[in-house]
Amino acid sequence: MAATVAPPAAPPPTSATIRSLTAAGNHGAALRALSSLSASSAQLDHFALPPAIKSAAALRDGRAARALHAAALRRALIHRPTPAVGNALLTAYARCGDLDAALTLFAATPPELRDAVSYNSLISALCLFRQWERALDALRGMLAEARHDVSSFTLVSVLLACSHLAGDDGRRLGREAHAFALKHGFLDEGRERFPFNALLSMYARLGLVDDAQSLFRTTAAAFSPGGGDVVTWNTMISLLVQGGRCAEAVEVLYDMVALGVRPDGVTFASALPACSRLEMLALGREIHAVVLKDGDLAANSFVASALVDMYAGNERVGNARRVFDMVPEPGRQLGMWNAMICGYAQAGMDAEALQLFARMEAEAGCAPSETTMSGVLPACARSEGLAGKEAMHGYVVKRGMAGNRFVQNALMDMYARLGEMDVARRIFAMIDPRDIVSWNTLITGCVVQGHVAEAFQLVTEMQLPSSSSSTEDERCMPNNITLMTLLPGCAAQAAPARGKEIHGYAVRHALESDIAVGSALVDMYAKCGCLAASRAVFDRLPRRNVITWNVLIMAYGMHGLGGDAVALFDQMAAGGEATPNEVTFIAALAACSHSGLVDRGLELFRGMERDHGVKPTPDLHACVVDVLGRAGRLDEAYNIITSMEPGEHQVSAWSSLLGGCRLHRNVELGEIAAGRLFELEPDEASHYVLLCNIYSAAGMWEKSVAVRARMRRQGVAKEPGCSWIEVDGAIHRFMAGESAHPASAEVHAHMDALWERMRREGYAPDTSCVLHDVGEAEKAGMLRYHSEKLAIAFGLLRAPAGAAIRVAKNLRVCNDCHEAAKFMSKMVGREIVLRDVRRFHHFRDGSCSCGDYW
DNA sequence: CTAGGGTTAG
């Protein structure tokens, strides 16, 4: 018979057992040990209770906390022999979500039985519930008793509370706390680093990046045995990134690594957004490699989300998707979905964004958050019909997200893009408090919708103190985004004075080296006709991206300097600062086209896919057609179109061909191109106008009249021509046949005088572009009041003596205006710069920069 | 009794 040996009975637990289990983080075991102990009860003393209560708190086990409270009460151990049990209970209740129980416990403790830890526990409990003001009141109570020392624990909680106070209070109290910490030696060498880190993050949360940085510079050395604490470094990196100072954040990361501090997941999650914003793909990839080597980091969903964001921000949506797919479904948390959806939306892959949005809840049971919504809404705004958009608005309201500022900003953007500015303004009016994004979104909407004056008005308003009852300080300073969105407004209006003001603001606020602002400045100066200024900004930029290069190439092309544009292209392709993309080739080919560099253009096009991996798109095909067509090689241009894929969008290619046919008076091909265009875009006036011009130039008046009749019959209206000129910072608009401008009568009279003088000096008007079927004399009369001529006349009257007359026009300049401007430039001895939809014409002394090749 | 992280607008 086999003897069964009973296992040796476990020794009964003691308070020391519980203490060590709690200290080891083994909270479940600590509570189990306690329950076997309660039976014997003799050991349930004031040594065993505090660690047990801490374990209950760590497990968020409210029932255990209450049971321990009851046991302590029975034994009268709450405040005696020390306040330790009561203090631990206070924290446990707070951790378990019962602030009232914690506060009641504190209030029930006679003041003489409280110690400093009691107050510290109370203050941190209030902070846990985000009761910042009450936390500071508790501090005042503690100080009033005057027998408790403020410790590092107290300081850390107080700093946390200060960092969340609205307005100036947080800043004032935070700086006081900083002074207190200094005075009492908390920042001395060798002291624990918690108060130092807490000060840094307080400045971070208050947005006082410079204060944080100077504290870091002066004091970090005192806390950096072995290179310092990773938390300190992480705080610095994230506060710099959030303050938009990404380049400095990257420097801090390099410093940290150089000092031998090992970055962790938080470091990478904080630094990766900088790689995204600075387009530092190489650094992002390096981080990715380190993450892959360390399995623990890859499992950190914050790191994975940041990687997705980094790849998406570097135009590597495919890589982003691969990171997304690599994280298995259950680990794919909300942030991952958000990062991927926003990545798709930012890449303009709206269908993918919407599809993923549909999948996240249906398949993964992950409820969209406000962030998800602010990510998909832009994608939604660009696709589907209006009904889908309003459905999305309804969805947001139903889910109770309509009060979220990010969502409101995205909704406002959606309606602004739709042209529903009134709805956008109504949403804007409801946002409280407004942030810089709210302002930027409405400003951008105004610029895009052409309400540039309103946009500038908003820029003034945003900087004024808030007039509403809101407690938050709503004042916002224009940032790089604000400038970046205003500049295209100046460019569109050819308003260099306003553009220069913005440039000045950028210089004063250290924003001129921002790539986005810099690129927009290069573009603005170029489109305002100041090519030298444009180039100067480009040359001064510390870094440039593909957009900066594209803008400059476009600038030279627009100014008729095709050779320089192509040289810049070569420089870009050889330099490695940016890789040419589709837009680069569009810019380079357009430049070739406008300067007649046909063979160079064809060469570029042939090498495009082979040497640069850029696939020919419909727009690129249209560019080559334009290169060939403008040079009169119309048959080759036609062959390009017929070689395009059948399903490909051919509208722009056909209209380029039609333009070439007008230039070279080719009726036969022109009729073919126009025929295709009338099928593809029956409502587009410019196609009819071009065919009319072709017939008129060939003297085929009946056919010309027939096209005009067809236009009228189908209700196709030509966009009215409109020109404008900036004088003394104000923009003056002129339209043919309109007298809305206050000086209209004077301008018309001046034009009459100029016209008469021109005719006397031998000017012969070119009437081939007049579409109306009237006599020659009447045609000449209509030409005389074309909007660009009126604007030039106004400029001659009001612009400072000797200054170039800079006029912009919304359509292409007609033949006669081109000739007239040329003639006038000599006659009145003034430089005239005329900008149309595509390019610049510089008239000086009777000739044009384009050499009449346009 | 204490500190640090991602996903938004252009």
Side-chain angles (χ1 to χ4, degrees):
Chain A
M1 189 160 113
T4 47
V5 181
T14 61
S15 55
T17 324
I18 294 173
R19 251 206 311 279
S20 63
L21 284 170
T22 299
N26 207 344
H27 302 295
L31 286 188
R32 278 193 299 280
L34 181 86
S35 58
S36 66
L37 196 105
S38 332
S40 57
S41 86
Q43 284 274 349
L44 187 58
D45 54 16
H46 71 279
F47 291 114
L49 276 169
I53 295 167
K54 275 177 213 171
S55 284
L59 294 171
R60 306 282 184 270
D61 187 342
R63 265 182 41 201
R66 283 188 295 274
L68 289 162
H69 189 175
L73 270 177
R74 279 197 300 277
R75 288 170 178 74
L77 290 173
I78 302 272
H79 309 302
R80 280 175 238 279
T82 70
V85 171
N87 292 343
L89 275 170
L90 199 169
T91 302
Y93 278 131
R95 290 276 160 94
C96 295
D98 194 346
L99 181 63
D100 285 340
L103 295 179
T104 309
L105 187 66
F106 183 86
T109 307
E112 66 276 13
L113 297 180
R114 295 173 188 156
D115 63 3
V117 177
S118 313
Y119 278 98
N120 293 343
S121 306
L122 174 69
I123 295 169
S124 68
L126 288 162
C127 286
L128 194 64
F129 285 81
R130 308 184 65 82
Q131 311 256 321
W132 315 116
E133 297 281 2
R134 290 174 79 183
L136 292 170
D137 282 341
L139 170 74
R140 288 184 196 106
M142 175 182 184
L143 297 175
E145 272 197 45
R147 60 186 183 90
H148 305 298
D149 284 335
V150 168
S151 69
S152 61
F153 290 98
T154 329
L155 253 179
V156 167
S157 301
V158 165
L159 288 167
L160 182 70
C162 291
S163 72
H164 283 95
L165 293 183
D168 293 331
D169 290 351
R171 283 186 281 269
R172 203 188 63 244
L173 289 173
R175 291 211 168 95
E176 264 178 46
H178 187 169
F180 179 93
L182 264 178
K183 189 174 149 201
H184 292 86
F186 284 103
L187 301 180
D188 290 353
E189 193 151 357
R191 294 293 295 261
E192 41 173 4
R193 54 182 196 266
F194 286 121
F196 172 60
N197 286 341
L199 263 172
L200 278 183
S201 38
M202 174 200 70
Y203 284 129
R205 271 190 291 262
L206 291 172
L208 302 170
V209 180
D210 291 321
D211 293 73
Q213 205 171 29
S214 72
L215 173 66
F216 178 73
R217 288 208 180 113
T218 55
T219 318
F223 297 93
S224 27
D229 174 24
V230 68
V231 173
T232 311
W233 291 100
N234 290 348
T235 309
M236 280 313 295
I237 292 171
S238 87
L239 79 88
L240 285 168
V241 171
Q242 274 159 21
R245 292 157 61 164
C246 294
E248 290 166 78
V250 170
E251 285 305 312
V252 172
L253 174 67
Y254 286 141
D255 288 346
M256 158 184 190
V257 174
L259 285 169
V261 181
R262 199 191 158 97
D264 63 6
V266 177
T267 321
F268 293 141
S270 312
L272 280 167
C275 302
S276 168
R277 266 169 250 170
L278 294 174
E279 296 170 34
M280 294 180 78
L281 180 60
L283 177 59
R285 284 186 163 146
E286 240 178 280
I287 292 178
H288 193 178
V290 176
V291 167
L292 287 180
K293 258 190 266 173
D294 187 334
D296 289 346
L297 288 180
N300 180 335
S301 83
F302 286 119
V303 176
S305 307
L307 277 171
V308 169
D309 177 56
M310 184 277 294
Y311 280 120
N314 278 288
E315 296 176 314
R316 298 291 191 285
V317 187
N319 287 13
R321 183 57 193 251
R322 274 188 285 283
V323 175
F324 179 83
D325 286 334
M326 241 144 33
V327 178
E329 196 66 64
R332 232 186 237 166
Q333 282 154 17
L334 181 63
M336 281 290 278
W337 288 97
N338 287 349
M340 197 62 238
I341 290 172
C342 297
Y344 275 136
Q346 274 166 13
M349 297 168 73
D350 301 326
E352 285 84 352
L354 290 165
Q355 201 188 344
L356 217 55
F357 172 70
R359 272 185 53 196
M360 76 183 276
E361 189 158 34
E363 287 175 29
C366 192
S369 68
E370 279 99 345
T371 306
T372 327
M373 298 317 297
S374 54
V376 269
L377 278 168
C380 181
R382 288 184 294 255
S383 41
E384 291 183 60
L386 179 60
K389 287 158 192 154
E390 283 173 342
M392 203 64 117
H393 192 167
Y395 177 92
V396 159
V397 173
K398 227 172 27 217
R399 299 260 175 148
M401 297 176 178
N404 175 277
R405 201 192 321 149
F406 289 156
V407 173
Q408 288 170 316
N409 288 343
L411 277 174
M412 182 170 54
D413 185 52
M414 183 175 85
Y415 284 107
R417 274 173 208 280
L418 285 169
E420 304 264 352
M421 288 307 289
D422 287 335
V423 185
R425 285 189 201 99
R426 266 206 301 281
I427 295 174
F428 180 78
M430 289 188 309
I431 303 177
D432 183 37
R434 294 175 195 134
D435 64 4
I436 180 77
V437 180
S438 318
W439 289 98
N440 285 348
T441 304
L442 190 61
I443 289 168
T444 307
C446 288
V447 171
V448 169
Q449 298 298 327
H451 308 152
V452 179
E454 186 182 347
F456 274 90
Q457 176 60 33
L458 284 166
V459 174
T460 312
E461 274 175 42
M462 74 193 278
Q463 301 176 62
L464 300 174
S466 164
S467 54
S468 81
S469 57
S470 163
T471 48
E472 294 258 354
D473 188 4
E474 271 196 52
R475 249 178 300 186
C476 287
M477 289 303 281
N479 65 2
N480 52 344
I481 307 295
T482 324
L483 305 194
M484 191 187 92
T485 60
L486 284 169
L487 285 165
C490 305
Q493 301 214 335
R498 277 190 169 164
K500 270 183 203 159
E501 259 177 61
I502 294 175
H503 191 177
Y505 182 94
V507 171
R508 286 195 301 280
H509 293 81
L511 292 170
E512 93 273 36
S513 55
D514 180 277
I515 291 194
V517 173
S519 305
L521 280 169
V522 173
D523 189 49
M524 180 278 295
Y525 279 123
K527 290 197 173 133
C528 290
C530 318
L531 187 60
S534 170
R535 181 58 190 256
V537 173
F538 181 89
D539 287 336
R540 271 201 301 269
L541 279 174
R543 280 166 51 88
R544 306 159 190 95
N545 64 10
V546 61
I547 297 176
T548 330
W549 280 96
N550 290 351
V551 160
L552 192 72
I553 293 172
M554 207 106 68
Y556 277 83
M558 278 193 323
H559 284 265
L561 300 166
D564 299 82
V566 174
L568 277 167
F569 172 86
D570 292 333
Q571 202 183 322
M572 172 190 186
E577 192 174 37
T579 316
N581 64 10
E582 184 197 335
V583 181
T584 318
F585 279 93
I586 290 176
L589 288 172
C592 290
S593 170
H594 287 301
S595 298
L597 305 171
V598 187
D599 294 326
R600 192 68 182 88
L602 290 175
E603 200 183 305
L604 275 172
F605 186 69
R606 286 196 205 101
M608 183 173 79
E609 187 163 9
R610 184 188 61 215
D611 302 337
H612 300 95
V614 176
K615 291 203 167 40
T617 59
D619 282 339
L620 281 163
H621 278 123
C623 285
V624 206
V625 170
D626 194 55
V627 168
L628 289 164
R630 203 179 292 268
R633 290 160 70 167
L634 294 167
D635 291 332
E636 288 167 77
Y638 179 79
N639 290 338
I640 296 269
I641 302 184
T642 51
S643 74
M644 285 169 74
E645 297 286 325
E648 220 176 330
H649 185 75
Q650 298 187 342
V651 169
S652 11
W654 283 116
S655 59
S656 293
L657 182 65
L658 185 58
C661 291
R662 191 205 65 149
L663 222 50
H664 297 279
R665 313 195 165 196
N666 187 323
V667 178
E668 191 195 344
L669 261 181
E671 283 176 333
I672 295 175
R676 299 302 307 273
L677 285 165
F678 293 161
E679 285 166 28
L680 294 166
E681 279 188 339
D683 295 328
E684 176 59 47
S686 62
H687 306 326
Y688 298 88
V689 173
L690 279 174
L691 185 62
C692 267
N693 289 150
I694 291 173
Y695 284 138
S696 310
M700 301 162 76
W701 298 107
E702 311 77 36
K703 293 215 171 186
S704 172
V705 169
V707 175
R708 273 206 56 76
R710 180 170 173 188
M711 254 179 108
R712 243 194 320 271
R713 206 168 50 240
Q714 301 190 356
V716 182
K718 177 175 166 289
E719 186 186 349
C722 169
S723 298
W724 56 95
I725 178 170
E726 186 194 62
V727 174
D728 288 334
I731 288 156
H732 303 265
R733 278 169 45 108
F734 296 91
M735 281 170 87
E738 193 204 69
S739 47
H741 192 276
S744 179
E746 192 187 349
V747 169
H748 279 81
H750 191 57
M751 191 61 235
D752 289 338
L754 285 166
W755 191 252
E756 207 167 302
R757 195 177 146 202
M758 284 163 71
R759 298 299 298 257
R760 256 200 330 269
E761 297 187 13
Y763 180 73
D766 176 351
T767 55
S768 69
C769 57
V770 176
L771 292 176
H772 298 269
D773 185 25
V774 292
E776 281 299 301
E778 270 177 274
K779 280 184 184 168
M782 300 178 96
L783 283 177
R784 192 197 314 178
Y785 301 127
H786 269 183
S787 63
E788 50 270 58
K789 292 198 185 82
L790 295 178
I792 292 173
F794 179 81
L796 291 171
L797 282 171
R798 297 288 161 83
I805 307 292
R806 296 173 189 280
V807 169
K809 172 163 189 188
N810 66 338
L811 305 172
R812 288 177 54 143
V813 173
C814 81
N815 287 350
D816 185 65
C817 286
H818 187 265
E819 292 307 313
K822 213 160 78 178
F823 197 92
M824 283 194 274
S825 70
K826 188 178 174 76
M827 187 177 83
V828 299
R830 279 287 264 279
E831 186 183 352
I832 297 172
V833 184
L834 196 51
R835 190 195 91 190
D836 69 14
V837 258
R838 295 240 177 305
R839 51 164 303 153
F840 281 90
H841 307 265
H842 283 255
F843 303 98
R844 182 181 286 154
D845 208 21
S847 65
C848 178
S849 61
C850 68
D852 295 329
Y853 186 93
W854 60 290

